[in-house]
Amino acid sequence: MSLSERFSSTDGLRLDLGELTGAIGDSVTVLPIVVGLAALTPVSLPHALIWFGVFQVVWGVAYGLPLSVEPMKALAGLALAGTLAYGEFLAAGLLAGVVLLVFAATGSLSRIQRHVREPVIRGIQLAVALLLARAGFDLGVADPTLALGAAAVAGVVAVAGYRRGAALAVLGVGLALALLETGVPAASLPAFGLFPTGVPSLTAGALSASTGQLAMTVGNAAVATSLLLSDLFDADISADRLSGSMGVMSLTAVPLGGLPMCHGSGGLAGKHAFGARTGGANLVLGGLYLAAVPFAGVVAAFPMPVLGVLLIVVAVHLGRRAVAVSGRRALAVVAFVGVVGLAWNVGAAFLLGVVADAGLRRVAGATN
């Protein structure tokens, strides 16, 4: 089946004002997390930006739609919180990529989704949000005055009605302070090679983190994105097909210095809200990412207290979405998974959450 047949429901690519402003919607999701990883871990921002740029363009052309390209948030959150070593982060991303390709080849997502319900997925999001908030607080207390100033900027932006832009506003403050300290960095391009910033380390922690990430990916990046593509763009793109493209991204980017990447309903909704209607927004954003690569060195001077506030803002965004479930039983599962993920680990929280959710549903059925 040709690409034109597979994506026959999509419109032609456009490059107009809506696509330009729509590109911003995905960057709100991507940049705060990627900059945080580059500042706190061995992640190379130039390599990461290259692969985000490349795959924005690839999927914009292939799907003809403003499909999001985001970091795998559970893995990124664990790495930012310091509970996942860099080698484990890489191994978990590669493992998730392999599993996603297997899902795509076997058409497994619809069967798996029946056993992993929304409260468990939202609970994983809450666990990651809590870990990020804790890490952000630890960074912010190093300079409370600077952290409070950055928090005030986020608050003003949110109160003004641009809540989604609060993280970008804090990011802008941090980059401005870094530029004041270092000046504009000399343009340079990264060296290429296999695993240029570290090698994978397959451990129990990596397996656990990958399990938690896959729970989020199945629900948010595959199934929810597929439904949103149908609702917003009248496009028939299956969750299994999206699973395949996510597997390709991670297995291509991670060995060459990039991050584990996925699609996501949040980034897609953000692009649509900002005006994107075709893959032209991906071409714009991909070009901007690639243009920023030579100047990515400024991140080395990013002030850590401001980064702490940035992590907390991202945590609040994730946390708000996590608790947006209906019913006390569902909220109890979300809270249970979130607390276990914070106190123990995300993989255990996922498995225990599936059991707890099934048990509560059985009890509810028996009493009805």
Side-chain angles (χ1 to χ4, degrees):
M1 185 181 292
S2 69
L3 277 177
S4 61
E5 291 171 327
R6 290 175 67 188
F7 304 116
S8 59
S9 63
T10 63
D11 298 325
L13 298 180
R14 296 201 302 266
L15 290 173
D16 54 24
L17 182 59
E19 305 303 315
L20 177 62
T21 58
I24 299 171
D26 215 3
S27 64
V28 171
T29 304
V30 172
L31 288 177
I33 294 175
V34 175
V35 170
L37 285 169
L40 293 177
T41 76
V43 164
S44 165
L45 184 58
H47 287 90
L49 288 175
I50 285 172
W51 289 110
F52 276 107
V54 166
F55 281 115
Q56 282 282 351
V57 173
V58 166
W59 302 130
V61 172
Y63 287 94
L65 293 166
L67 204 63
S68 67
V69 178
E70 308 174 6
M72 288 188 172
K73 292 189 185 70
L75 298 186
L78 294 173
L80 286 167
T83 61
L84 191 67
Y86 184 63
E88 294 174 321
F89 173 69
L90 297 179
L94 290 171
L95 180 60
V98 170
V99 173
L100 288 169
L101 281 183
V102 171
F103 285 169
T106 58
S108 302
L109 282 186
S110 59
R111 295 191 294 274
I112 292 172
Q113 180 67 11
R114 289 198 294 268
H115 302 287
V116 184
R117 298 176 67 250
E118 183 184 11
V120 178
I121 297 166
R122 297 302 184 192
I124 296 295
Q125 289 179 318
L126 180 60
V128 172
L130 292 172
L131 288 165
L132 283 175
R134 185 173 67 185
F137 178 81
D138 290 342
L139 290 173
V141 295
D143 187 342
T145 301
L146 183 56
L148 287 172
V153 170
V156 168
V157 172
V159 169
Y162 301 98
R163 191 169 57 207
R164 285 180 55 86
L168 279 185
V170 176
L171 177 62
V173 169
L175 290 176
L177 292 173
L179 284 170
L180 286 174
E181 180 177 333
T182 64
V184 178
S188 63
L189 294 176
F192 285 93
L194 196 60
F195 297 109
T197 54
V199 296
S201 176
L202 186 59
T203 65
L207 291 171
S208 174
S210 182
T211 299
Q213 177 60 59
L214 286 167
M216 284 182 63
T217 298
V218 167
N220 180 62
V223 175
T225 299
S226 176
L227 292 173
L228 199 60
L229 285 166
S230 177
D231 290 343
L232 297 180
F233 302 97
D234 195 27
D236 183 15
I237 298 174
S238 71
D240 289 303
R241 188 176 298 167
L242 293 172
S243 177
S245 59
M246 290 186 287
V248 167
M249 281 195 287
S250 290
L251 292 179
T252 301
V254 171
L256 297 174
L259 302 181
M261 292 187 284
C262 62
H263 302 307
S265 57
L268 177 64
K271 279 183 172 176
H272 184 272
F274 278 86
R277 296 296 181 268
T278 77
N282 288 50
L283 302 187
V284 172
L285 186 54
L288 291 174
Y289 284 153
L290 293 172
V293 168
F295 308 102
V298 70
V299 173
F302 200 97
M304 291 298 104
V306 177
L307 180 60
V309 174
L310 183 63
L311 296 187
I312 291 172
V313 172
V314 173
V316 170
H317 177 68
L318 275 176
R320 285 174 59 88
R321 295 182 62 195
V323 298
V325 293
S326 300
R328 287 180 295 177
R329 277 191 291 268
L331 191 57
V333 173
V334 171
F336 172 72
V337 174
V339 171
V340 173
L342 175 66
W344 190 5
N345 71 62
V346 172
F350 166 70
L351 296 175
L352 291 173
V354 171
V355 173
D357 184 49
L360 286 174
R361 281 188 290 134
R362 188 172 292 113
V363 169
T367 57
N368 288 338

